[in-house]
Amino acid sequence: MDRQTGLNVAVVGATGAVGQQMIETLVTRNFPIEKLVLLSSSRSAGKIVTVNGKEYVVEEARPESFEGIDIALFSAGGSVSKELAPEAAKRGAIVIDNTSAFRMDQEVPLVVPEVNEEDVHTHKGIIANPNCSTIQMVVALEPIRKKFGLKKIIVSTYQAVSGAGAAAIEELKEETRAILAGEEYEPKVLPVKSADRHYQIAFNAIPQIDMFDDSGFTLEELKMINETKKIMHDQSLQVAATCVRLPVETGHSESLYFEIESDGVSADDIRELLKEAPGVVLQDDPVNQVYPMPADCVGKQDVFVGRVRRDLDNTKGFHMWVVSDNLLKGAAWNSVQIAESLVRLGVVGQK
């Protein structure tokens, strides 16, 4: 973005992995900031964070912390968001929340700028950032939906441990070391820290992300199903998901099957659309083994798509493979993009 007279911006959860990415992304995007306030829990308050060569003391997040703030980026857990996001909005800040606290609230827009940027106009103080897996999927599917219609989505995810936080990353590393050394290791974090049972993630795949619902789907799967319908404004869209955790540190992968409404569409037609799609990089040359992989997407803001092919039994069915950095496009970058949309569309004023 071009530099303008700035806004007062707060980052809640400033010492966490996503909070740090948010700060870094604000800097690299040259976001127009007049005053930056870094906030955290009382546990992390007092830490020093250097931003663009300037040292900031991280303050404890309280309701009064948001006086005079224009935009507040939240990534400090759902309970913090539920408590403080309404307080920030009450004081005039526009909250961009990276938790699941408000995603399915009918009063709160759920925004992926490449898909439904205009929804920021409907905010009442809070805008929700979708689940990381949902974000990359809808970015890849939206140009297809616009051109050819979309009836059905079946997605299987292959999600990195960073989606479960720093403790999950450490568990993967420690387990791997222990197994290679022939030592015992007792898992404590995955699949869900609060669950009764924990399983090895190193050299394994765990078909559970979040807790199970009475339907047999996990909450992560239900997020993908419900959020996709909300973002695309289509409750009739058929969506099913299976979410799996893999021993990958960063970068979520997804296998997508989708059915369109139009007749006579080829895989080449889909590829041509994706080549021009905002936020999408097409990597699709199977003859030369060119396709997206999580190891190659780390630190990149785009959604990478490959393995595009038409289903062998359904002429309206297609398959593709979608990969993205879950900490960037799946969290920090999408949040900053929403902030940029607020500025570009004149929703938030300049000083």
Side-chain angles (χ1 to χ4, degrees):
M1 296 184 69
D2 295 333
R3 183 168 292 285
Q4 308 164 56
T5 48
L7 299 164
N8 295 338
V9 177
V11 177
V12 184
T15 59
V18 174
Q20 288 286 296
Q21 288 275 17
M22 285 176 169
I23 295 164
E24 185 178 329
T25 306
L26 288 167
V27 171
T28 58
R29 291 293 297 175
N30 204 23
F31 191 81
I33 297 175
E34 182 172 306
K35 179 185 178 185
L36 179 64
V37 177
L38 303 186
L39 303 169
S40 71
S41 65
S42 56
R43 189 176 64 252
S44 298
K47 289 185 177 178
I48 305 294
V49 173
T50 302
V51 181
N52 235 3
K54 181 180 176 182
E55 289 190 345
Y56 290 80
V57 178
V58 179
E59 303 169 27
E60 182 179 355
R62 306 172 186 271
E64 55 270 24
S65 304
F66 301 98
E67 296 288 351
I69 295 296
D70 298 301
I71 295 176
L73 302 172
F74 272 66
S75 189
S79 59
V80 173
S81 291
K82 283 178 182 174
E83 178 188 352
L84 291 178
E87 294 292 337
K90 197 186 299 180
R91 288 162 173 79
I94 300 176
V95 171
I96 301 169
D97 183 48
N98 192 49
T99 76
S100 61
F102 303 101
R103 287 176 186 156
M104 298 314 298
D105 187 322
Q106 291 187 345
E107 299 289 301
V108 176
L110 184 65
V111 176
V112 179
E114 294 91 343
V115 181
N116 62 332
E117 181 182 53
E118 290 293 326
D119 285 1
V120 300
H121 287 292
T122 68
H123 84 86
K124 296 182 179 179
I126 301 172
I127 298 170
N129 197 58
N131 177 271
C132 48
S133 300
T134 305
I135 290 173
Q136 67 187 68
M137 180 173 77
V138 298
V139 168
L141 286 174
E142 177 61 8
I144 298 165
R145 186 192 70 82
K146 275 185 177 173
K147 179 83 172 178
F148 302 122
L150 194 59
K151 290 172 57 179
K152 184 175 189 175
I153 304 165
I154 299 175
V155 57
S156 297
T157 73
Y158 307 80
Q159 294 180 222
V161 294
S162 56
I169 296 173
E170 190 59 29
E171 181 159 278
L172 169 61
K173 291 178 178 178
E174 290 302 318
E175 269 182 7
T176 303
R177 290 190 195 104
I179 290 169
L180 290 173
E183 299 167 358
E184 293 291 321
Y185 186 91
E186 183 184 349
K188 299 179 180 65
V189 178
L190 294 170
V192 184
K193 193 169 186 179
S194 61
D196 294 332
R197 302 179 72 174
H198 299 102
Y199 296 114
Q200 168 188 323
I201 184 61
F203 308 100
N204 198 18
I206 304 176
Q208 179 187 357
I209 298 178
D210 214 328
M211 301 302 286
F212 285 97
D213 179 79
D214 291 341
S215 65
F217 285 84
T218 65
L219 298 183
E220 180 84 356
E221 291 158 357
L222 292 173
K223 285 176 196 173
M224 293 195 74
I225 292 165
N226 296 323
E227 290 175 19
T228 299
K229 295 180 181 186
K230 181 176 179 179
I231 294 164
M232 291 184 164
H233 300 287
D234 186 359
Q235 290 301 312
S236 69
L237 183 62
Q238 298 175 44
V239 188
T242 300
C243 295
V244 180
R245 189 76 72 189
L246 289 191
V248 171
E249 183 172 334
T250 302
H252 288 352
S253 303
E254 297 173 349
S255 173
L256 283 181
Y257 169 78
F258 59 94
E259 294 176 6
I260 60 173
E261 295 173 349
S262 300
D263 290 309
V265 178
S266 69
D268 282 338
D269 293 330
I270 301 287
R271 288 189 198 95
E272 286 304 311
L273 262 188
L274 293 171
K275 279 181 189 174
E276 306 300 323
V280 173
V281 174
L282 184 67
Q283 295 180 329
D284 194 6
D285 183 4
V287 173
N288 292 302
Q289 293 179 269
V290 174
Y291 34 69
M293 293 180 287
D296 298 328
C297 79
V298 176
K300 297 174 183 174
Q301 295 174 338
D302 295 302
V303 172
F304 297 86
V305 182
R307 299 289 321 276
V308 179
R309 59 210 187 274
R310 193 159 69 175
D311 189 73
L312 296 178
D313 298 309
N314 184 346
T315 57
K316 293 185 178 181
F318 292 84
H319 302 264
M320 64 186 185
W321 177 252
V322 179
V323 179
S324 193
D325 184 325
N326 55 296
L327 299 179
L328 267 177
K329 182 54 185 166
W333 168 225
N334 199 74
S335 297
V336 173
Q337 268 185 297
I338 294 170
E340 291 187 358
S341 295
L342 291 171
V343 174
R344 183 171 52 255
L345 299 178
V347 179
V348 64
Q350 300 286 291
K351 293 194 183 338

